[in-house]
Amino acid sequence: MSYRSGRHFLQIPGPSPVPDRILRAMDMPVIDHRGPTFGDLGARVLEKLKGVFKTECPVIVFPASGTGAWEAALVNVLSPGDKVLMFETGQFASLWHELATRIGLDPEFIPGDWRHGVDPEKVAARLREDTNHEIKAVCCVHNETSTGVTSRIGDVRKAIDATGHPALFMVDTISGLASADYRHDEWGVDVTISGSQKGLMLPPGISFNCASKKALDAHENSGFKKSYWDWGSMLGNNASGFFPYTPATNMLYGLEEALKMILDEEGLENVFTRHKRHAKATRIAVEAWGLEVLCLVEEEHSPVLTTVLLPDGHDADKVRSIILEKFDMSLGTGLGKVKGKVFRIGHLGDINDLTLLGALSGVEMGLKLAGVPIKDGGVQAAMAYLSETA
Amino acid sequence: MSYRSGRHFLQIPGPSPVPDRILRAMDMPVIDHRGPTFGDLGARVLEKLKGVFKTECPVIVFPASGTGAWEAALVNVLSPGDKVLMFETGQFASLWHELATRIGLDPEFIPGDWRHGVDPEKVAARLREDTNHEIKAVCCVHNETSTGVTSRIGDVRKAIDATGHPALFMVDTISGLASADYRHDEWGVDVTISGSQKGLMLPPGISFNCASKKALDAHENSGFKKSYWDWGSMLGNNASGFFPYTPATNMLYGLEEALKMILDEEGLENVFTRHKRHAKATRIAVEAWGLEVLCLVEEEHSPVLTTVLLPDGHDADKVRSIILEKFDMSLGTGLGKVKGKVFRIGHLGDINDLTLLGALSGVEMGLKLAGVPIKDGGVQAAMAYLSETA
């Protein structure tokens, strides 16, 4: 028996479900990536993509995962041995820190409890101590996919500015872009890193660097040897809509459709409002169950996912596997330090009220089947909020 | 703004949502319908299709809607002016009766209240009166899509047999096939009529007649002039997998995939059990809301859809339009005599527990938004039942 009726509920915090419209847009013949049709597509997409970053700066598209875009960001603006300031907000911040170490940077990792975003005060305090300006970059994760905690990027920018420190500001919003409010230019971010498989509702496979003027200047002086990740050859070609090596053609067809849906049809601000509303409905359900959300700061709750902490003695992965088996829904596992203690509910991208309520129903039933002591009424409370605000 | 996030909830009692696997199976080049590849496909599908009818008899496939298959069934085994016995179990039974009148039959229409299936006792009583055997056929709708009431076809057969009356037994299971238990051979049905867009999970476009030996004999003596609907040219070609006129090639690709999913993978009995379980969960929700289901007989509840009766003074179509607007879900409208008084929840085909709970959430929220006096707890009660039986 391999056919299981109905649609799988993919409620992990990305990859998110790809809308049929995007699947159909990608379901086209591959074209010559050196021909004029591709050049027009490339030029259109590279220009329009700026809208979701809220930027006038160039966006570079890599045929690579988000991890590749992390590495690209670092090797384009820094040099081996450079000191960079990083913050342990969760598993992905930790992995980015590991990557920085591995490629030969000298990262300083400010510890964290995984329940708060980056503290702007701590950023300012550390930069003030750095009177010799040895720190070349401040690196933050905007939306921590492992915890459901966002960092207040605008406030971090203000904290950096208050110190007058010249460090570059680099932000990973791989799981935040096009779901959580993000403003590359207004927040003075020098390099923004993102990916395709979250708010943009595409399959995984392409990722992005958005680079400020200051970042492009730093690129001129970067001491890293690089080829695949080099912004130079990308930007030299991109003006005409072409790429220095084979681009992921059909992903770009999909990206154009996604940008049309997000920017021209639903509207980016409506997308943000929708994500915040679904996140709030989810937290209302979690509270009604009598469980705790991992994030401890009201203004740092992620609109993309909600991480649910289980009472001691209950295995979150057992809950997840019961839900997968009984109700055909995938939830995010606990990563790193919170493995087994939490599960994550993704509510990003192509989702609506009834799918969210189906998902919360699966969580409520699964928690009870797993013997986690919860109160009834989570779905009921979420319905009350969603219908009030419908 | 034309992009609306998330997947539309198509909870009408058919057409039902088409699984991606079937869409992909159909998404293939059209082939020569007189070539050997098509012949093999046709032969395989015509043979395998017998499984869902539980028959050894031939099944004829028309490129036509269910309405076409109704007409085909009548004109192949009857003659102009023939008396047939029909039962007013709902809107579709009424439409079939109209069609019979229009083509020149002489149908006798036994009135009904739309809340019960065909009464086997009434069938027997009427046939006993017909001592001259003027009635040539007894025509029943198995699953009334307008009411959510099924007729007990096996019991009707027994009632006919008890009278010794030679009338043909003709059954419409357009919305029942491959969702509700159905047995062409065991129940001695002479002509079964069905369609593609319900339990078979295909788009609308093809429909079926399954004909017993007795029906094939009656075909020899039928006085109707016919060409498109003539079983003779169909059966003459079908042995080799071909059709007398252009078949709906890509629908047959989809049908082969559907039969594989239903018969080889999930298993037909499991499909029936799943539909019954979802129907019961729906009735539990309706009862918890304090509303009434249209069907009045416990063993006649449809596993395919549930028809919900609203209290006097409440417009069911207003509820439906609020639900469509606020929650992007389509429910079935009330048809004919019950227009405005009921709405119909489809729970057939490619559905699972979480989609059903999302749908029931939309109904619960929509009823309250429309000001229908209901009690909370319908979704909660359905969750309790579904998780007990998961």
Side-chain angles (χ1 to χ4, degrees):
Chain A
M1 173 169 160
S2 70
Y3 166 58
R4 192 164 182 183
S5 72
R7 191 166 285 277
H8 180 71
F9 273 60
L10 184 68
Q11 302 298 143
I12 57 174
S16 65
V18 181
D20 290 351
R21 267 180 68 178
I22 293 181
L23 290 173
R24 291 303 83 72
M26 294 175 61
D27 188 16
M28 296 290 286
V30 176
I31 55 172
D32 173 12
H33 61 294
R34 298 292 173 214
T37 304
F38 184 88
D40 289 346
L41 169 70
R44 283 197 311 273
V45 167
L46 288 166
E47 186 54 35
K48 191 151 191 171
L49 193 50
K50 294 175 180 175
V52 290
F53 289 86
K54 294 196 179 171
T55 189
E56 299 296 322
C57 301
V59 180
I60 295 125
V61 180
F62 292 107
S65 74
T67 306
W70 267 347
E71 182 163 329
L74 298 172
V75 300
N76 271 286
V77 295
L78 298 168
S79 298
D82 275 358
K83 198 176 227 344
V84 297
L85 198 57
M86 300 181 108
F87 301 86
E88 189 208 355
T89 49
Q91 177 71 359
F92 290 95
S94 303
L95 291 173
W96 197 15
H97 168 252
E98 257 180 57
L99 185 156
T101 309
R102 220 177 288 144
I103 63 173
L105 290 167
D106 178 20
E108 181 177 332
F109 202 41
I110 309 291
D113 68 355
W114 293 38
R115 306 190 71 175
H116 297 78
V118 174
D119 181 350
E121 291 311 309
K122 281 194 190 161
V123 177
R126 182 64 191 88
L127 291 181
R128 276 198 201 95
E129 288 169 16
D130 182 41
T131 47
N132 292 340
H133 297 171
E134 284 177 3
I135 294 170
K136 299 302 176 199
V138 174
C139 300
C140 297
V141 173
H142 173 222
N143 185 73
E144 239 308 342
T145 322
S146 64
T147 63
V149 181
T150 54
S151 287
R152 286 163 286 141
I153 300 304
D155 292 346
V156 174
R157 172 79 266 170
K158 283 181 199 149
I160 298 172
D161 287 347
T163 67
H165 195 289
L168 291 162
F169 188 25
M170 306 180 72
V171 178
D172 158 359
T173 187
I174 291 173
S175 65
L177 191 78
S179 294
D181 188 14
Y182 190 80
R183 313 171 191 187
H184 180 89
D185 287 3
E186 184 186 325
W187 292 344
V189 180
D190 293 305
V191 187
T192 296
I193 297 123
S194 197
S196 57
Q197 73 274 27
K198 312 275 184 170
L200 289 175
M201 309 181 290
L202 293 166
I206 58 174
S207 53
F208 314 104
N209 280 178
C210 175
S212 72
K213 175 71 174 59
K214 186 173 164 185
L216 293 172
D217 291 345
H219 170 259
E220 297 299 315
N221 301 309
S222 156
F224 275 109
K225 288 199 183 304
K226 54 196 165 274
S227 174
Y228 191 81
W229 304 124
D230 192 357
W231 290 350
S233 47
M234 279 282 185
L235 293 171
N237 281 274
N238 280 182
S240 52
F242 292 103
F243 290 79
Y245 43 79
T246 316
T249 312
N250 290 41
M251 289 288 283
L252 296 184
Y253 292 153
L255 179 55
E256 184 166 47
E257 188 69 15
L259 293 171
K260 195 175 155 209
M261 292 159 80
I262 292 168
L263 298 173
D264 302 342
E265 298 184 27
E266 186 170 5
L268 193 54
E269 303 307 316
N270 292 328
V271 170
F272 297 155
T273 304
R274 163 164 64 82
H275 280 79
K276 279 200 283 193
R277 182 168 163 271
H278 284 157
K280 182 154 183 201
T282 304
R283 293 197 300 278
I284 285 171
V286 175
E287 196 186 344
W289 294 326
L291 297 178
E292 200 181 337
V293 165
L294 191 63
C295 176
L296 288 176
V297 184
E298 182 56 33
E299 61 268 47
E300 293 180 349
H301 285 303
S302 169
V304 171
L305 74 146
T306 301
T307 301
V308 182
L309 199 55
L310 288 193
D312 279 346
H314 293 278
D315 179 358
D317 284 331
K318 193 185 139 206
V319 175
R320 287 176 55 251
S321 80
I322 287 171
I323 289 171
L324 178 60
E325 189 204 323
K326 299 281 187 191
F327 304 114
D328 202 16
M329 172 161 64
S330 294
L331 295 169
T333 186
L335 295 169
K337 284 185 179 178
V338 291
K339 175 132 196 73
K341 297 177 186 167
V342 305
F343 63 86
R344 296 171 297 148
I345 306 170
H347 32 70
L348 69 157
D350 191 42
I351 191 176
N352 60 19
D353 291 6
L354 300 192
T355 298
L356 180 67
L357 288 166
L360 294 176
S361 299
V363 174
E364 184 166 326
M365 293 188 296
L367 284 164
K368 293 176 81 171
L369 287 173
V372 178
I374 61 160
K375 289 179 282 185
D376 276 348
V379 172
Q380 193 75 52
M383 279 199 285
Y385 171 71
L386 289 173
S387 67
E388 252 166 47
T389 55
Chain B
M1 173 171 158
S2 69
Y3 166 57
R4 191 164 183 182
S5 71
R7 191 166 286 278
H8 179 72
F9 273 60
L10 183 68
Q11 303 297 145
I12 58 175
S16 66
V18 181
D20 291 352
R21 268 180 68 178
I22 292 180
L23 290 173
R24 290 306 81 72
M26 294 176 61
D27 188 16
M28 295 291 285
V30 175
I31 57 173
D32 172 14
H33 62 293
R34 298 290 173 216
T37 303
F38 184 88
D40 289 347
L41 169 70
R44 283 198 309 274
V45 167
L46 288 166
E47 186 55 35
K48 192 152 190 170
L49 192 50
K50 294 176 181 175
V52 290
F53 289 86
K54 294 194 180 173
T55 188
E56 299 296 323
C57 301
V59 181
I60 294 127
V61 180
F62 292 107
S65 74
T67 306
W70 267 348
E71 183 163 330
L74 298 173
V75 299
N76 272 286
V77 294
L78 297 168
S79 299
D82 274 358
K83 197 175 227 347
V84 297
L85 197 57
M86 302 181 107
F87 301 85
E88 189 206 356
T89 49
Q91 177 72 359
F92 289 95
S94 303
L95 291 172
W96 197 16
H97 168 251
E98 256 179 58
L99 186 156
T101 308
R102 219 177 290 143
I103 63 172
L105 290 168
D106 178 21
E108 180 178 333
F109 202 40
I110 309 291
D113 67 356
W114 293 38
R115 305 191 73 175
H116 297 77
V118 174
D119 181 349
E121 291 312 307
K122 281 194 191 161
V123 177
R126 183 64 191 87
L127 292 181
R128 274 196 204 99
E129 290 168 16
D130 182 42
T131 47
N132 292 340
H133 296 173
E134 285 176 4
I135 294 170
K136 300 301 175 201
V138 173
C139 301
C140 297
V141 173
H142 173 223
N143 185 73
E144 239 308 341
T145 323
S146 64
T147 63
V149 181
T150 53
S151 287
R152 286 164 286 142
I153 300 303
D155 292 346
V156 174
R157 172 79 266 169
K158 282 179 202 153
I160 298 171
D161 287 347
T163 68
H165 195 289
L168 291 162
F169 187 25
M170 306 179 73
V171 178
D172 159 0
T173 188
I174 291 174
S175 64
L177 191 76
S179 295
D181 188 14
Y182 190 81
R183 313 172 191 185
H184 180 89
D185 287 2
E186 185 186 326
W187 292 344
V189 180
D190 293 306
V191 188
T192 295
I193 297 125
S194 197
S196 56
Q197 73 273 26
K198 313 275 185 172
L200 289 176
M201 309 181 291
L202 293 166
I206 58 175
S207 53
F208 314 104
N209 280 179
C210 176
S212 71
K213 175 72 174 56
K214 184 171 165 186
L216 293 171
D217 291 345
H219 170 259
E220 298 298 314
N221 302 311
S222 156
F224 275 108
K225 288 199 183 303
K226 56 197 163 271
S227 174
Y228 191 81
W229 303 125
D230 192 357
W231 291 349
S233 47
M234 279 284 184
L235 294 171
N237 282 273
N238 281 183
S240 52
F242 293 102
F243 291 79
Y245 43 80
T246 317
T249 313
N250 291 41
M251 289 289 284
L252 296 184
Y253 291 155
L255 179 55
E256 184 166 48
E257 188 69 14
L259 293 171
K260 194 175 156 209
M261 292 160 80
I262 293 168
L263 297 173
D264 302 342
E265 298 184 25
E266 187 170 5
L268 192 54
E269 303 307 316
N270 293 326
V271 170
F272 297 155
T273 304
R274 163 162 65 81
H275 280 79
K276 280 199 281 191
R277 182 169 164 269
H278 285 157
K280 183 156 184 200
T282 303
R283 293 197 301 277
I284 286 172
V286 174
E287 194 186 347
W289 293 325
L291 297 178
E292 200 180 337
V293 164
L294 191 62
C295 177
L296 287 177
V297 184
E298 182 56 32
E299 62 268 47
E300 293 180 351
H301 285 302
S302 169
V304 171
L305 76 146
T306 300
T307 300
V308 182
L309 198 55
L310 289 193
D312 278 347
H314 292 276
D315 178 358
D317 285 332
K318 192 184 140 208
V319 175
R320 287 176 55 251
S321 81
I322 287 172
I323 290 171
L324 178 59
E325 188 204 323
K326 300 281 187 191
F327 304 115
D328 203 15
M329 174 161 64
S330 294
L331 295 169
T333 188
L335 294 170
K337 285 186 178 175
V338 291
K339 175 133 195 73
K341 297 179 188 166
V342 305
F343 63 85
R344 295 171 297 148
I345 305 170
H347 32 70
L348 70 157
D350 191 41
I351 192 177
N352 61 18
D353 290 7
L354 301 191
T355 297
L356 180 67
L357 288 167
L360 295 176
S361 299
V363 174
E364 182 165 329
M365 293 188 296
L367 284 165
K368 292 176 81 171
L369 287 172
V372 178
I374 61 159
K375 290 180 278 184
D376 276 348
V379 173
Q380 193 76 50
M383 279 199 285
Y385 171 71
L386 289 173
S387 67
E388 251 166 48
T389 54

